[in-house]
């Protein structure tokens, strides 16, 4: 194949195009080729129901001439159908339309990236505490909504909860978008009525769900992004069906992370690839929810493994204030004991809401205690350490909220 390209290059005599008229004809050939194939394919795609972004992307890809074009041109030259000058013009056209594919796709993505997502004005308000929940299926979305409600239940006027569902555009015909949106949000809207929690809904057909989740979250300047972790977390090796690890795909982002020292390429992670990308690229705190039939937020336990986990107490305070949750703190490494500011924060909460926050005296966690808890809230770094330690009590934990500050 490489020799064929060399052969074609040797037969292409650009020096023969020594007249302005010939270059004008070359330009006209390129214009006709692009209009005929790029716009033709794009309009045909739009006619059968694709959105404009997908239609233009198909047009850009179809517009690319490559090996097959050069084969036809060489045959035409050998048969005498094409003169050497016309052969050269057509080869230039094939090269131009091939090289323009990358920039054309980048331009299409840039144009639609800025226009696809519309953030509601009330979400953009800086005066409100804003939570974005991103869900794939409705049951997981309901669990995320219950958790979000626990943080803002008593301050609805000063908070906004946005429920977002993205679906792959290649799995859905544009005529079905409205029905799919209604079907996706119906269970959440019913749950929001039962919780008396107003929500803003956001639905989008996406070519790249991971990227769009991060962009929407960052553009909306949310205070907290809540995402559900796929059930694959329970289907791996390390801890069998208790935790498990999903297979991590080696993609360009991970290779870059490896080279700049952000991560070990082959190390295990308790997160799937999508969650890992969201954690890495989101500018706001991210809460990853491992849902094990979360129904209530009355009893919560919060391990504080290091002084860096102090930010968790702020989330505990919001749950106490809005949901009357009872928080049990666990201090296995004396992180609270050795930090005066954390102690003062706990004392302040205790003075405002007595008997809602307590310290477990015995750091050894027993099954009976875990069965009474609704959820564990833990920092991302502490969760990684906990998983790596293969602690035996992990098999009995309830639902988990893992927070990256």
């Amino acid at each position: 194949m490489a020799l064929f390209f060399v052969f074609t290059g040797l037969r292409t005599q650009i020096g023969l195009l020594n007249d302005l008229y010939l270059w004008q004809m070359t330009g006209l050939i390129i214009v006709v080729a692009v209009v005929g194939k790029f716009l033709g394919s794009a309009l045909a795609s739009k006619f059968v129901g694709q959105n404009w972004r997908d239609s233009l992307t198909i047009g850009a890809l179809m517009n690319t001439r490559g090996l097959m074009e050069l084969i036809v041109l060489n045959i035409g030259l050998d048969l005498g159908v094409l003169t050497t000058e016309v052969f050269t013009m057509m080869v230039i056209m094939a090269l131009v339309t091939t090289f323009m594919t990358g920039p054309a796709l980048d331009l299409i993505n840039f144009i639609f990236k800025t226009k696809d997502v519309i953030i509601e004005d009330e979400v953009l308000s800086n005066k409100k505490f804003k939570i974005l929940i991103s869900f794939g299926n409705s049951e997981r979305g309901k669990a995320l909504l219950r958790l979000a409600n626990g943080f803002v239940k008593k301050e609805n006027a000063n908070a906004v909860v946005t429920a977002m569902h993205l679906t792959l555009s290649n799995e859905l015909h544009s005529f079905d978008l409205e029905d799919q949106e209604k079907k996706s949000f119906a269970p959440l809207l019913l749950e929001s009525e039962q919780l008396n929690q107003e929500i803003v809904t956001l639905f989008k057909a996406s070519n790249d769900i991971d990227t769009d989740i991060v962009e929407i979250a960052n553009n909306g300047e949310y205070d907290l992004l809540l995402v559900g972790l796929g059930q694959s977390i329970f289907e791996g090796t390390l801890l069998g069906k208790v935790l498990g690890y999903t297979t991590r795909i080696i993609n360009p982002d991970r290779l870059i992370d490896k080279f700049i020292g952000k991560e070990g390429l082959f190390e295990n992670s308790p997160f799937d690839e999508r969650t890992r990308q969201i954690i890495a690229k989101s500018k706001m705190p991210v809460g990853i929810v491992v849902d094990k039939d979360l129904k209530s937020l009355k009893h919560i336990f919060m391990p504080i493994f290091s002084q860096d986990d102090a930010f968790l107490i702020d989330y505990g305070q919001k749950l106490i204030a809005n949901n009357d949750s009872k928080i049990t703190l666990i201090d296995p490494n004396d992180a609270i004991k050795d930090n005066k500011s954390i102690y003062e924060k706990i004392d302040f909460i205790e003075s405002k809401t007595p008997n809602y926050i307590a310290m477990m005296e015995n750091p050894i966690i027993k099954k009976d205690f875990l069965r009474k808890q609704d959820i564990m809230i833990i920092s991302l770094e502490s969760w990684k350490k906990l998983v790596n330690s293969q602690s035996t009590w992990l098999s009995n934990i309830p639902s988990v909220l893992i927070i990256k500050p």
Side-chain angles (χ1 to χ4, degrees):
M1 185 179 293
L3 290 175
F4 178 78
F5 285 117
V6 172
F7 173 70
T8 302
L10 292 173
R11 303 183 80 181
T12 304
Q13 302 178 47
I14 296 180
L16 293 176
L17 303 183
N18 54 7
D19 185 81
L20 178 61
Y21 172 75
L22 294 177
W23 282 106
Q24 289 174 340
M25 289 302 298
T26 302
L28 181 61
I29 289 173
I30 294 172
V31 170
V32 171
V34 171
V35 170
K37 208 166 185 185
F38 189 119
L39 290 184
S41 299
L43 291 175
S45 299
K46 182 62 179 175
F47 179 76
V48 298
Q50 297 292 330
N51 58 46
W52 274 115
R53 180 174 183 169
D54 291 345
S55 298
L56 293 173
T57 298
I58 292 171
L61 294 173
M62 291 297 295
N63 184 56
T64 302
R65 273 77 172 181
L67 179 62
M68 188 60 67
E69 181 87 8
L70 296 180
I71 291 172
V72 173
L73 292 177
N74 276 283
I75 293 173
L77 181 62
D78 291 336
L79 293 176
V81 177
L82 301 176
T83 65
T84 307
E85 290 85 352
V86 173
F87 174 81
T88 301
M89 293 177 188
M90 298 296 285
V91 169
I92 292 174
M93 179 273 293
L95 293 175
V96 170
T97 54
T98 299
F99 289 143
M100 70 181 286
T101 303
L105 290 175
D106 289 340
L107 179 61
I108 292 167
N109 288 333
F110 175 78
I111 291 172
F112 285 90
K113 189 175 288 184
T114 57
K115 293 183 178 180
D116 270 357
V117 179
I118 300 175
I119 307 297
E120 300 283 350
D121 290 340
E122 59 184 303
V123 173
L124 292 173
S125 170
N126 291 323
K127 297 179 181 179
K128 297 183 177 182
F129 185 79
K130 297 169 289 185
I131 299 178
L132 174 65
I133 64 174
S134 176
F135 66 98
N137 64 66
S138 299
E139 286 304 312
R140 193 169 300 154
K142 287 161 64 175
L144 294 174
L145 180 58
R146 285 191 287 270
L147 183 55
N149 175 255
F151 284 114
V152 299
K153 183 183 296 185
K154 295 181 181 179
E155 49 186 79
N156 257 332
N158 296 312
V160 178
V161 175
T162 301
M164 175 175 66
H165 176 71
L166 305 185
T167 185
L168 284 173
S169 56
N170 61 359
E171 294 179 356
L172 198 63
H173 196 284
S174 60
F175 297 142
D176 299 326
L177 284 175
E178 187 174 346
D179 289 340
Q180 178 65 26
E181 182 175 0
K182 290 179 180 178
K183 182 179 178 181
S184 299
F185 284 106
L188 263 75
L189 292 172
L190 181 61
E191 185 75 17
S192 68
E193 290 179 5
Q194 294 174 351
L195 295 171
N196 194 26
Q197 172 66 60
E198 294 183 4
I199 62 172
V200 177
T201 59
L202 197 161
F203 177 83
K204 181 174 181 250
S206 169
N207 287 319
D208 187 347
I209 290 179
D210 304 6
T211 299
D212 282 340
I213 288 174
V214 173
E215 286 191 353
I216 292 169
N218 289 340
N219 291 339
E221 298 180 350
Y222 291 91
D223 297 291
L224 178 63
L225 167 62
L226 293 177
V227 296
L229 194 62
Q231 289 300 316
S232 54
I233 193 172
F234 299 110
E235 300 169 357
T237 53
L238 189 62
L239 294 179
K241 292 187 177 180
V242 177
L243 279 177
Y245 291 121
T246 54
T247 302
R248 301 178 69 189
I249 301 169
I250 300 175
N251 63 21
D253 283 340
R254 292 194 55 219
L255 288 173
I256 292 171
D257 287 350
K258 172 62 178 176
F259 290 134
I260 63 178
K262 278 190 176 181
E263 71 157 303
L265 185 59
F266 299 108
E267 69 180 11
N268 281 327
S269 168
F271 303 118
D272 53 44
E273 188 69 13
R274 173 171 295 171
T275 307
R276 197 194 70 82
Q277 290 296 324
I278 292 172
I279 291 171
K281 296 179 180 179
S282 296
K283 297 178 181 178
M284 77 294 301
V286 179
I288 306 102
V289 180
V290 182
D291 179 26
K292 296 177 74 174
D293 196 26
L294 178 64
K295 299 295 184 185
S296 172
L297 292 167
K298 289 300 180 184
H299 300 283
I300 300 169
F301 76 106
M302 193 178 294
I304 306 294
F305 284 94
S306 71
Q307 295 182 4
D308 293 334
D309 291 349
F311 73 91
L312 293 175
I313 296 174
D314 295 329
Y315 289 97
Q317 185 175 9
K318 288 190 75 68
L319 287 167
I320 292 171
N322 286 279
N323 197 68
D324 298 328
S325 301
K326 293 190 175 182
I327 310 292
T328 301
L329 298 174
I330 302 170
D331 187 22
N333 300 325
D334 293 332
I336 298 175
K337 181 180 178 181
D338 297 337
N339 191 302
K340 183 179 178 181
S341 62
I342 298 179
Y343 246 124
E344 290 176 349
K345 187 178 291 188
I346 295 171
D347 287 341
F348 176 78
I349 297 172
E350 178 67 21
S351 66
K352 295 290 184 180
T353 51
N355 302 319
Y356 279 94
I357 188 167
M359 185 83 66
M360 178 180 278
E361 296 181 0
N362 186 356
I364 299 175
I365 300 177
K366 298 181 179 180
K367 290 183 181 180
D368 291 341
F369 170 79
L370 292 172
R371 290 193 186 103
K372 296 176 182 178
Q373 305 304 305
D374 296 310
I375 191 170
M376 174 177 76
I377 300 180
I378 188 171
S379 72
L380 175 63
E381 292 305 313
S382 292
W383 174 254
K384 290 178 180 178
K385 293 175 184 176
L386 191 63
V387 170
N388 288 333
S389 71
Q390 302 187 36
S391 177
T392 54
W393 58 266
L394 283 173
S395 59
N396 297 293
I397 57 173
S399 297
V400 184
L401 172 60
I402 307 157
I403 301 180
K404 182 216 79 170

